[in-house]
Amino acid sequence: MYSEIKQSLDVGSEWLHARLKSELHDARPVALQVRTKSVDSVFAKLQKGDYSSIWEMEDLIAARAVFLHPVDVSSAIKAIEDKFPMVEAKNVEAGKPNDFRYQQPHLIVGFPSEYVDRHPELANVKIELQFTTYIQHALQESTHDVIYKGERFSWREARLDSRLRGLLEIVDDVLANISNVAQVDEDPPYALFDKRNAIIDAAKTLWEPTQLPADLRRFAITVEGLIAASGTTIEELIEMAKAHTDLVGALSLTPVDKILGILFRERFDQLLRGVKGRKLLISPELEDAVPAAARWPKEKRVVVS
């Protein structure tokens, strides 16, 4: 009997996966799982005597949405609450401060009426929608077979699971606020990072925010290599830029192209000697703006095509 019902549940699961993917898009889930309860699992639950029929079960179809941070979990729950007929919400409120049992937030819902109109055989199906963070999901996946599906009960394993959940809750909070937590103390001097941050600061003095690269860290590392190869300091680069405003303001060049163009004009020979085994990407736009770029050897160029 259930094997026939399961075919319909499988169809519903496919629809549910697509619908959740759409509804949770803005919350950016890192994983989305949907499964239909197996025949063996259904009969094992029925044998316990807690249900008078399979339709009373709350997880014939179960989904788990995994997010980076706890705040994303809260946003996802709010996004779903108005989209599905609500049966019950579990563990969505703050629990006891000294309780670290497995209490994953989840909703018990039904299929929306517009879907039931097309699939009346699923009208009584209850769906369990679980919401969790990436870290808690990793713990659950790692311990599930041992702690919840093992051959014997173990106080030590259950205790360790609870202790790990407490630790990971702290880690979740730290990761969600890592920038603020890291600022509790000032950064110690660190020459490598200080130099790269100086490059980023210099770029911010040369260009407006909309003109800056999207990835400033990668930009800083690239420029760091160029100025080191040409024997140029950051201060010297800023002074050079003042003499080459045509490159600094060029709309057709990227910030890296602009700095490379300045170095071609000011330090071509030093740069040629300093790059050694490194190759440079020279765009046609850069060659148009800086004729000296055409002199750069072919064996020291990145071949795009």
Side-chain angles (χ1 to χ4, degrees):
M1 174 65 177
Y2 178 69
S3 58
E4 297 177 2
I5 297 172
K6 191 174 184 305
Q7 293 179 6
S8 296
L9 293 176
D10 289 340
V11 173
S13 293
E14 292 181 10
W15 176 89
L16 180 65
H17 189 279
R19 179 66 181 269
L20 290 176
K21 185 176 181 180
S22 173
E23 297 294 348
L24 297 175
H25 178 269
D26 291 342
R28 298 163 303 183
V30 294
L32 184 59
Q33 303 171 340
V34 180
R35 65 109 181 107
T36 303
K37 206 165 190 64
S38 69
V39 175
D40 289 343
S41 183
V42 166
F43 279 103
K45 271 201 168 185
L46 289 175
Q47 285 176 328
K48 288 178 62 180
D50 295 333
Y51 305 101
S52 60
S53 78
I54 62 172
W55 304 116
E56 293 180 7
M57 291 185 184
E58 297 177 339
D59 60 346
L60 288 178
I61 297 177
R64 179 183 295 177
V66 183
F67 303 89
L68 280 181
H69 303 304
V71 66
D72 299 322
V73 170
S74 300
S75 299
I77 291 174
K78 291 178 182 178
I80 291 298
E81 283 177 331
D82 296 333
K83 304 297 182 181
F84 290 81
M86 189 66 57
V87 177
E88 187 179 2
K90 297 184 177 183
N91 303 325
V92 295
E93 302 294 338
K96 295 179 181 179
N98 59 347
D99 189 356
F100 292 100
R101 290 174 298 168
Y102 178 56
Q103 300 184 83
Q104 192 175 66
H106 59 281
L107 306 176
I108 308 299
V109 303
F111 281 102
S113 58
E114 66 271 16
Y115 187 75
V116 171
D117 289 342
R118 302 194 303 274
H119 300 273
E121 69 278 9
L122 299 177
N124 296 320
V125 172
K126 295 177 183 176
I127 304 168
E128 182 182 74
L129 303 180
Q130 303 173 355
F131 303 84
T132 191
T133 63
Y134 200 68
I135 286 179
Q136 294 289 346
H137 173 66
L139 176 63
Q140 179 66 8
E141 291 292 292
S142 299
T143 63
H144 184 267
D145 288 347
V146 175
I147 304 242
Y148 299 99
K149 300 294 184 180
E151 293 183 358
R152 297 180 61 83
F153 293 92
S154 169
W155 183 93
R156 290 187 180 279
E157 289 176 355
R159 177 67 172 174
L160 179 59
D161 181 60
S162 294
R163 292 165 66 191
L164 286 172
R165 290 193 183 282
L167 288 172
L168 293 189
E169 183 176 310
I170 294 174
V171 173
D172 260 336
D173 289 340
V174 170
L175 290 178
N177 299 279
I178 191 167
S179 185
N180 292 331
V181 174
Q183 301 307 317
V184 172
D185 296 316
E186 290 187 5
D187 273 346
Y190 184 58
L192 178 62
F193 287 179
D194 293 343
K195 184 176 182 179
R196 291 174 180 175
N197 285 332
I199 292 173
I200 292 173
D201 292 338
K204 290 180 178 180
T205 67
L206 294 174
W207 297 293
E208 296 296 324
T210 55
Q211 299 171 309
L212 292 172
D215 189 342
L216 283 171
R217 291 165 58 99
R218 184 182 296 275
F219 166 80
I221 293 171
T222 301
V223 172
E224 177 186 35
L226 293 175
I227 63 176
S230 63
T232 305
T233 66
I234 299 169
E235 293 74 20
E236 288 173 336
L237 180 64
I238 294 174
E239 288 302 311
M240 291 177 188
K242 294 177 182 178
H244 300 281
T245 54
D246 62 319
L247 292 180
V248 173
L251 298 178
S252 61
L253 301 178
T254 68
V256 171
D257 277 344
K258 295 174 182 181
I259 289 175
L260 189 54
I262 292 171
L263 295 177
F264 277 154
R265 287 179 177 177
E266 296 278 351
R267 301 284 175 90
F268 187 93
D269 291 337
Q270 296 95 315
L271 185 62
L272 184 59
R273 289 193 300 268
V275 293
K276 298 180 180 178
R278 187 177 176 184
K279 298 180 186 294
L280 300 183
L281 176 61
I282 301 175
S283 66
E285 292 82 4
L286 179 58
E287 287 195 346
D288 289 342
V290 183
R295 294 168 44 210
W296 194 257
K298 290 184 179 180
E299 64 272 15
K300 291 183 178 291
R301 292 175 179 242
V302 175
V303 178
V304 178
S305 58

